[in-house]
Amino acid sequence: MAATISFLALLFLLHGVAGDSQVVKKVCAGTPYPDFCGSTLSTVPQNATGNANKVTYWVLDYTIRIGGEAERLGSTLYLETDLPLAEGTCISVCQRTLAGAVEDLYKAQEKYPDYAAMVTQTRRALAVAKKAHIAWNCESCRKGDSKKKVVDALSEGNDLGKAIAVLAALVNPVQK
């Protein structure tokens, strides 16, 4: 996540423009993690247009990037750690599942700048992931000593899970 925040800070410095905080607050207010959503997006200059669709695009972009981090961590754990066979197999399957789900989100992002198509494709990708019961973490794979590891991209309550919840709220707004 630090790399993601650094990337967002770099964007802020390069463009010298802060996002429209009122738009970010308004759009993020309808999500399950408004503070997480706002802090993730507050420095993205493209939000300055006041366009909620662009906010959705940047949440999708962020989700794909941290999904990629989780996928790489799963691969690293599987390949470079001496895990018991069952746990290693579980993490390997989880990593491949995350990779497929993130790839589906990336395909949605490729629809940019056609926001309607991007949102439709994102909804489909999230629906497929939900139907497949993707947890957006590999916590269930961890047993014994490996369960004691620090919170990371594969842990329950990670930023990927929050980003998915925010993204789902943005592409499937609750009608009032």
Side-chain angles (χ1 to χ4, degrees):
M1 178 164 141
T4 303
I5 297 302
S6 297
F7 174 75
L8 292 176
L10 177 63
L11 276 177
F12 174 76
L13 291 172
L14 288 174
H15 292 281
V17 179
D20 184 336
S21 62
Q22 293 307 311
V23 171
V24 170
K25 279 183 184 178
K26 183 178 179 184
V27 172
C28 291
T31 71
Y33 300 100
D35 292 338
F36 173 81
C37 176
S39 66
T40 300
L41 295 169
S42 63
T43 60
V44 176
Q46 286 77 357
N47 293 339
T49 65
N51 186 328
N53 286 328
K54 287 195 176 190
V55 173
T56 302
Y57 171 85
W58 284 105
V59 171
L60 177 58
D61 184 69
Y62 177 80
T63 304
I64 290 167
R65 282 186 278 122
I66 62 173
E69 290 174 23
E71 176 189 334
R72 283 185 294 283
L73 180 60
S75 181
T76 300
L77 276 173
Y78 177 69
L79 296 173
E80 299 177 7
T81 309
D82 188 24
L83 294 171
L85 181 61
E87 189 173 342
T89 301
C90 181
I91 287 180
S92 174
V93 169
C94 180
Q95 181 268 336
R96 286 193 313 270
T97 303
L98 282 174
V102 171
E103 178 64 25
D104 288 346
L105 291 174
Y106 181 73
K107 288 176 185 173
Q109 187 185 35
E110 288 178 334
K111 300 294 184 186
Y112 173 84
D114 183 346
Y115 290 109
M118 183 187 74
V119 167
T120 299
Q121 188 74 22
T122 301
R123 281 186 191 129
R124 284 186 192 131
L126 292 174
V128 167
K130 185 175 183 177
K131 188 174 182 180
H133 304 289
I134 293 177
W136 301 103
N137 66 67
C138 298
E139 194 69 29
S140 63
C141 294
R142 293 192 166 157
K143 310 285 186 232
D145 287 341
S146 65
K147 188 103 171 149
K148 298 174 189 171
K149 292 186 180 189
V150 297
V151 174
D152 58 28
L154 295 175
S155 298
E156 190 172 11
N158 64 25
D159 285 352
L160 179 57
K162 291 177 185 174
I164 290 294
V166 168
L167 183 60
L170 292 175
V171 299
N172 297 305
V174 176
Q175 302 297 322
K176 294 183 181 182

